[in-house]
Amino acid sequence: VIYNDANDYNVIVGEGDPWAREVVGVIDFGDMLHSYTVGDLAVAAAYAMLDKPDPITAAAHLVAGYHQTFALTEQELELLYPLIRARLCISVTNSAYQQQVEPDNEYLVISERPAWILLERLEDVSEEFAHCAFRHACGLAPESRSSAVVEWLEENANSLGRVVEPDLKVDDVVVLDLSFSSRELGDLTELSDVEAMTQRLFGRMKAAGASVGVGRYNEARPIYTSELFKAEGNDGAEWRTVHLGLDLFMKAGSPVFAPLDARIYCFCNNAGSLDYGPTIILEHKVANGTLTFFTLYGHLSNDSLEGLYDGKPVRQGERIARIGDYPINGGWPPHLHLQIIVDMLDREGEFPGVALPGQRDIWLSLSPDPNLIARIPADRFPSDEMSAEAILDVRDRRLSPTLSISYNEPLKIVRGGMQYLYDEDGRAYLDAVNNVAHVGHCHPRVVRAGQEQMAVLNTNTRYLHESLARYAERLCSTLPEPLRVCFLVCSGSEANELALRLARSHTRSEETIVVEAGYHGNTTSLIEISSYKFDGPGGAGPPPNVHKVPMPDLYRGQYKRSDPLAAGKYASHIAGEVEQIQQSGGQVGAFICESLLGCGGQIVLPTGYLSEAYRHVRNAGGVCIADEVQVGFGRVGSHFWGFETQGVVPDIVTLGKPIGNGHPLGAVVTTPEIAASFANGMEYFNTFGGNPVSCAIGLAVLDVIEAERLQENALKVGARLMDSLRGLMEEHPLIGDVRGLGLFVGVELVLDRETLEPAADQADYVVNRMKQRGILLSTDGPFHNVIKIKPPLVFTEANAEFLVSTLDKVLTEDFLKA
Ligand code: PMP
């Protein structure tokens, strides 16, 4: 007896961890009947596939889960897809009937429209592909006949003919790296230029003395950039990246031979941009006709198709084609794409040569390794890259457990390009959180500046070098008077560490006033002034010389946005600390404050806060340090520096993160007066700080910010982003507050807008789901319930819209509604 009605409305799910929820019950037993048990799964799958851009993957998840608890047989798997479609047919037929009987009962037709859409969508999915996908979900070889083809090719290796003239077993071939992590491919922006790519690849072959360049099978590649390779997945857009053939890069016009007897199965000019161009598919019947498979030859010359007809016999060794040139070969550097196909999946004239990473195993099974025919010795291929698991394993054993990793399922990122990061499968992630890659990941101008200088000279500040002088002038010119003396260091921590020394030698006092939840760096003395750390896990509170004032948080703090005097009230806590220091006979040293609070939860300081605070501190003889490590260099949009939005000029400014766009660079800029107090005879030497390479990179970053008007962009896109985020608040009560300046934005999630109870689990869920949908974010704030948005400044309005619409989708998911 089967239940026969496992749909979303009938399944009851338990509470708790959204990533490990289980079905705890079902309701509505009116459809129970005596039948084949696989019918239950077919019904459930038909529902699970509704409204899914990629229904087969949705069903495969269900099949995998079902199989774990109640194993499926191979026969059942073979029938599953037809049963699902039959169920959908019954469903639409039933709806039509019910509509006549009970025209007012909406529930009875609730799935009619999506069922029709799904039925039509499944017209494009071959039965054999679905079968392979379901077998794969159960841990079976996806294409059951694949191993027979592989075995036959292995056993008959010595009787196969050549595919191209050079003998790939002995002649010089070079295996090219066309993967996402390739250092041979150059910058992603160059990939659309076929001439540049041809020069690069053929140059590499020439340098290696090879007549053939080999492009690997099962390699995820960044070169498939046209719409042809884009697909709509269940978690947003996906790109086909995984190469299913073997490429043989050779001069255009080189002959191609049939490696064994065949007949022409089909031929076609697949003329789209980055498509196959002229293509031939041969059919091979071997083992006395008991085994059939196909070989595909793509990117051929136009005349290769002349005189062909379907079914035309071809002898082993016969020249069947010539390698084509661009543009007729689809617009690629000249090469032959060779692919084996076990089942044509009802296709004509072409067969996918590149697969979605999520379907990798299924397609590799349908198209086994063409090197079974080409027979390039294994030792020509470089060893595989380390898997994410292998890296995790080494990290576990060799690195400190205090290093954290983002996301439930860690990412292995292998390439960056402007506001995008790419994992090893080529999945593109929109980076909405990395403010270090300020002008864009691997910005070509910054990269070039570093590479060129590194090839010429890298020393230290004990020699005279023009780039140090130019950078010091340039950096100081971005700051107001009297901030005219700079020190170059290698990190934000080094900058703050030095700032403390400067302040202490100027005031001869170590009494330091800090802001709650502030973070200033990882050294011993910086942990002592970082409430984020000394008040956090493993922290031991502040030492006696460190005085903490409340975070001036207008949303959650003591004084709210509605209070016009809030800034002064928050600043009066500083006056209070000053008084206490003085009463206990001390002298105020420094007040350090981030210009916008990052770890504190993307807090914008109340208008007038810093000017009041600075007044209290300076009246008592203290110096004011602005930590601009997170927010400097135009991020806030309206100004180049965060402190400028507060109308103040600090005594010391510390810079880091964005200053080198990822290169370890930092700086401290102060007044000549404070710099003079520090010059007490002791040398300040920093081995790496101010080296020519760092200076060249720092200069390039400033150039790019200016040339690409990135501050302006931060203002424009940031305003748009915050507007759209605020637009979500009506629909989603979970969003308690949206705040920020420019492209430094926080979205605070709360369970209740009155009590402001933090929604930390929900924030964590959102960040992990956004990542699954291709957008990188993180959480912070004392309650870990603030979503941080601080992308590279090349972030566009379209990126902002994508972020907001995706957030909208994620916020409607069941876990967040419960
Ligand atoms: N100050 C602030 C405000 C920071 O956010 C950080 C780093 N998160 C630092 C200083 C320390 O910089 P680094 O990690 O480069 O030493």
Side-chain angles (χ1 to χ4, degrees):
V1 172
I2 69 167
Y3 167 52
N4 200 33
D5 201 11
N7 72 58
D8 319 33
Y9 297 90
N10 286 347
V11 172
I12 299 173
V13 180
E15 287 185 306
D17 183 353
W19 308 100
R21 286 184 148 186
E22 294 196 334
V23 173
V24 295
V26 291
I27 55 169
D28 187 355
F29 295 92
D31 291 338
M32 280 170 66
L33 52 78
H34 182 240
S35 181
Y36 299 97
T37 51
V38 68
D40 253 344
L41 178 58
V43 171
Y47 283 111
M49 293 159 92
L50 295 179
D51 296 319
K52 297 290 193 309
D54 179 359
I56 297 298
T57 299
H61 283 301
L62 194 68
V63 173
Y66 186 95
H67 182 71
Q68 267 177 24
T69 342
F70 195 71
L72 292 155
T73 66
E74 292 198 35
Q75 268 173 322
E76 285 174 318
L77 285 165
E78 208 169 328
L79 288 168
L80 184 56
Y81 187 56
L83 282 174
I84 290 170
R85 293 172 83 183
R87 165 68 185 196
L88 289 166
C89 290
I90 293 169
S91 171
V92 293
T93 314
N94 217 20
S95 293
Y97 173 71
Q98 296 285 5
Q99 238 157 356
Q100 286 179 0
V101 182
E102 282 187 71
D104 296 332
N105 191 339
E106 276 180 28
Y107 179 76
L108 294 174
V109 293
I110 200 159
S111 51
E112 186 188 14
R113 235 184 78 78
W116 268 119
I117 294 171
L118 177 56
L119 268 171
E120 276 157 24
R121 190 170 280 164
L122 295 181
E123 280 293 293
D124 295 335
V125 179
S126 96
E127 196 170 321
E128 183 55 17
F129 181 78
H131 181 207
C132 290
F134 296 158
R135 284 177 57 92
H136 178 242
C138 297
L140 297 168
E143 172 51 63
S144 57
R145 284 168 298 135
S146 191
S147 58
V149 173
V150 170
E151 267 166 40
W152 187 89
L153 285 167
E154 277 168 350
E155 277 165 17
N156 293 275
N158 291 329
S159 58
L160 299 176
R162 294 181 195 187
V163 182
V164 289
E165 219 143 56
D167 185 348
L168 302 174
K169 291 194 283 297
V170 293
D171 285 349
D172 274 329
V173 300
V174 60
V175 175
L176 304 167
D177 183 355
L178 305 179
S179 71
F180 269 86
S181 57
S182 171
R183 283 174 283 265
E184 290 168 16
L185 270 181
D187 190 312
L188 285 190
T189 55
E190 286 172 34
L191 295 180
S192 49
D193 181 349
V194 61
E195 216 141 313
M197 205 198 323
T198 304
Q199 268 175 25
R200 207 176 253 278
L201 299 184
F202 281 74
R204 170 98 178 82
M205 285 153 57
K206 194 170 168 200
S211 55
V212 183
V214 177
R216 289 177 291 183
Y217 167 73
N218 188 16
E219 178 178 64
R221 302 169 162 185
I223 54 183
Y224 305 110
T225 49
S226 77
E227 288 291 308
L228 208 61
F229 300 93
K230 196 174 173 188
E232 201 50 44
N234 295 336
D235 274 328
E238 293 177 0
W239 292 85
R240 294 191 288 133
T241 56
V242 180
H243 192 230
L244 299 172
L246 187 80
D247 287 330
L248 300 173
F249 289 89
M250 296 174 71
K251 278 207 285 287
S254 304
V256 177
F257 307 101
L260 65 168
D261 289 351
R263 62 182 195 102
I264 303 275
Y265 181 75
C266 57
F267 59 96
C268 180
N269 186 0
N270 295 289
S273 165
L274 301 188
D275 207 333
Y276 280 128
T279 313
I280 297 174
I281 299 179
L282 299 182
E283 181 185 42
H284 310 281
K285 279 199 187 315
V286 298
N288 298 322
T290 59
L291 188 64
T292 303
F293 63 92
F294 307 83
T295 49
L296 180 150
Y297 307 81
H299 313 297
L300 305 173
S301 67
N302 252 339
D303 58 3
S304 300
L305 305 188
E306 279 167 19
L308 298 187
Y309 56 90
D310 287 356
K312 183 182 180 204
V314 173
R315 307 297 301 171
Q316 181 181 58
E318 192 177 325
R319 185 177 69 73
I320 51 166
R322 288 188 185 280
I323 289 178
D325 206 346
Y326 55 83
I328 73 112
N329 70 352
W332 296 102
H335 73 287
L336 170 71
H337 171 103
L338 171 67
Q339 184 170 340
I340 302 173
I341 300 162
V342 177
D343 189 300
M344 281 296 294
L345 304 179
D346 309 323
R347 301 176 87 103
E348 270 289 324
E350 54 78 47
F351 191 86
V354 195
L356 289 171
Q359 301 176 344
R360 183 193 289 250
D361 294 341
I362 301 167
W363 288 102
L364 294 183
S365 170
L366 284 160
S367 277
D369 190 350
N371 203 31
L372 289 162
I373 293 174
R375 308 198 48 230
I376 300 157
D379 63 7
R380 300 291 175 90
F381 292 86
S383 53
D384 289 343
E385 268 199 44
M386 279 175 94
S387 67
E389 293 71 34
I391 294 172
L392 271 173
D393 178 55
V394 176
R395 281 179 67 120
D396 277 350
R397 286 182 291 109
R398 295 281 173 259
L399 297 170
S400 160
T402 56
L403 295 177
S404 75
I405 300 177
S406 300
Y407 307 112
N408 292 349
E409 301 151 334
L411 279 174
K412 182 186 169 197
I413 295 294
V414 299
R415 183 176 279 269
M418 305 317 277
Q419 64 272 54
Y420 296 97
L421 288 173
Y422 301 86
D423 71 12
E424 59 185 332
D425 284 338
R427 173 89 197 261
Y429 292 92
L430 176 63
D431 185 352
V433 72
N434 195 328
N435 58 336
V436 175
H438 192 64
V439 302
H441 288 280
C442 307
H443 192 292
R445 195 156 161 186
V446 178
V447 170
R448 210 177 321 119
Q451 285 175 336
E452 284 176 2
Q453 184 56 47
M454 200 183 291
V456 175
L457 176 74
N458 202 17
T459 50
N460 57 49
T461 48
R462 285 190 172 127
Y463 302 103
L464 301 183
H465 199 276
E466 181 181 331
S467 68
L468 174 62
R470 286 182 47 221
Y471 188 48
E473 287 281 20
R474 185 79 182 276
L475 192 59
C476 289
S477 76
T478 65
L479 286 148
E481 291 278 4
L483 295 166
R484 284 294 171 265
V485 181
C486 72
F487 297 78
L488 295 179
V489 295
C490 310
S491 68
S493 296
E494 262 199 349
N496 280 326
E497 186 72 32
L498 177 58
L500 279 188
R501 287 185 62 197
L502 290 170
R504 288 173 182 178
S505 55
H506 188 68
T507 60
R508 298 176 195 279
S509 164
E510 298 199 353
E511 301 300 323
T512 310
I513 301 171
V514 305
V515 178
E516 178 193 5
Y519 178 68
H520 302 291
N522 57 29
T523 66
T524 306
S525 26
L526 295 178
I527 296 300
E528 287 178 357
I529 64 161
S530 297
S531 151
Y532 185 69
K533 291 291 179 191
F534 66 64
D535 284 334
N545 66 315
V546 174
H547 311 269
K548 182 178 73 177
V549 294
M551 182 160 62
D553 176 357
L554 294 174
Y555 178 67
R556 181 179 285 284
Q558 195 180 351
Y559 317 112
K560 309 282 191 218
R561 218 164 265 156
S562 54
D563 181 350
L565 302 177
K569 289 179 182 169
Y570 278 119
S572 71
H573 285 272
I574 294 162
E577 293 302 329
V578 166
E579 221 177 279
Q580 268 199 4
I581 294 167
Q582 289 172 333
Q583 272 170 8
S584 53
Q587 138 80 31
V588 175
F591 166 63
I592 182 165
C593 182
E594 298 164 63
S595 299
L596 281 84
L597 313 184
C599 296
Q602 306 293 91
I603 304 273
V604 182
L605 299 176
T607 308
Y609 176 75
L610 279 188
S611 55
E612 277 294 292
Y614 282 15
R615 192 169 57 80
H616 295 310
V617 174
R618 283 171 175 158
N619 282 345
V623 301
C624 300
I625 305 171
D627 181 335
E628 287 275 341
V629 170
Q630 285 274 352
V631 299
F633 293 91
R635 174 163 298 278
V636 297
S638 57
H639 298 80
F640 200 74
W641 302 111
F643 65 77
E644 290 175 304
T645 64
Q646 289 275 316
V648 296
V649 178
D651 304 301
I652 302 172
V653 178
T654 57
L655 313 175
K657 291 192 195 277
I659 190 174
N661 209 50
H663 179 81
L665 180 57
V668 183
V669 188
T670 187
T671 65
E673 204 190 335
I674 293 176
S677 306
F678 185 60
N680 61 1
M682 182 190 287
E683 181 194 10
Y684 178 77
F685 180 65
N686 191 315
T687 303
F688 302 120
N691 71 71
V693 172
S694 298
C695 292
I697 288 173
L699 275 166
V701 171
L702 290 173
D703 284 344
V704 175
I705 294 171
E706 216 173 280
E708 298 184 11
R709 298 167 162 269
L710 293 181
Q711 182 183 328
E712 236 176 280
N713 191 61
L715 185 66
K716 187 182 68 178
V717 177
R720 175 81 181 265
L721 173 66
M722 271 188 283
D723 263 3
S724 308
L725 287 169
R726 288 192 180 116
L728 293 183
M729 291 182 70
E730 196 175 328
E731 185 89 353
H732 304 292
L734 200 58
I735 303 181
D737 193 32
V738 173
R739 55 184 176 246
L741 288 178
L743 282 174
F744 196 76
V745 175
V747 178
E748 178 151 0
L749 301 190
V750 292
L751 294 174
D752 180 332
R753 284 187 182 165
E754 292 298 313
T755 63
L756 307 189
E757 190 183 338
D761 290 346
Q762 286 74 5
D764 181 63
Y765 176 82
V766 167
V767 164
N768 277 289
R769 281 294 292 143
M770 290 292 278
K771 172 249 180 180
Q772 287 177 338
R773 299 195 68 109
I775 300 174
L776 304 182
L777 294 162
S778 67
T779 60
D780 225 325
F783 305 102
H784 307 287
N785 66 325
V786 181
I787 296 172
K788 295 202 285 192
I789 308 178
K790 46 189 181 92
L793 295 196
V794 289
F795 210 67
T796 63
E797 290 193 4
N799 294 150
E801 254 168 58
F802 174 52
L803 188 155
V804 174
S805 63
T806 308
L807 183 61
D808 189 20
K809 284 195 189 99
V810 168
L811 287 173
T812 57
E813 290 185 1
D814 289 346
F815 170 67
L816 298 172
K817 283 188 289 190

